[in-house]
Amino acid sequence: SKIKCNENGTLVKGVPCKSIIQEVNGEVEILLPGEGQKWQTATKGMEVPQGAKVCTGEGSSAVLAFGTNSVALISSVSVCEIKKLECNEDGLKVELFIDPGACTVSIKKLSQFATDFQVSTPRMTCSVRG
């Protein structure tokens, strides 16, 4: 069964159950789910929900933070879609889809919950659990 995020956006265990833009360098835009094709300028601190896409321009990048232990650096000229962002009794599950482009992910292991983080492209999928 899923643990619901409480009113301040954290898991019962105190772990944030959301993704935010931690850093923006250059031209970065976001397309929120249900917004059609209405891209908007991404800003530091903006929440990035499941189903959103982040697009970086030439020479630009963005850092997305997931909970308290995972970050993804979205490289220049990339489109990253958050396919899944969910919390359950075991912790945090994230699935990113990159096309085109590249990203670098850093995950810090925490004892109080597990993280299941997957990055896919049209040609390959990488996954880390722990």
Side-chain angles (χ1 to χ4, degrees):
S1 71
K2 304 239 186 225
I3 292 176
K4 298 291 184 193
C5 292
N6 62 24
E7 60 280 350
N8 64 3
T10 61
L11 280 169
V12 174
K13 297 178 184 177
V15 177
C17 182
K18 60 184 174 181
S19 170
I20 62 161
I21 297 177
Q22 193 172 53
E23 195 175 308
V24 173
N25 297 303
E27 294 181 48
V28 179
E29 293 186 331
I30 184 169
L31 178 65
L32 297 172
E35 294 284 319
Q37 292 300 311
K38 187 178 175 189
W39 289 86
Q40 59 184 291
T41 301
T43 58
K44 182 177 178 177
M46 180 181 276
E47 188 167 348
V48 185
Q50 179 174 300
K53 292 182 180 182
V54 176
C55 179
T56 57
E58 182 75 38
S60 302
S61 64
V63 176
L64 304 181
F66 300 88
T68 57
N69 71 323
S70 305
V71 294
L73 168 62
I74 311 304
S75 301
S76 175
V77 193
S78 297
V79 176
C80 173
E81 180 178 359
I82 299 178
K83 291 284 205 181
K84 185 175 282 188
L85 175 60
E86 66 180 36
C87 304
N88 59 40
E89 68 276 4
D90 298 321
L92 187 65
K93 181 169 182 148
V94 179
E95 291 180 13
L96 302 182
F97 182 73
I98 307 289
D99 185 28
C103 79
T104 303
V105 176
S106 176
I107 302 165
K108 181 172 72 173
K109 185 174 183 178
L110 297 176
S111 60
Q112 71 267 33
F113 75 103
T115 300
D116 182 357
F117 205 108
Q118 179 177 308
V119 178
S120 299
T121 71
R123 290 164 289 290
M124 107 185 210
T125 298
C126 297
S127 184
V128 173
R129 289 185 181 172

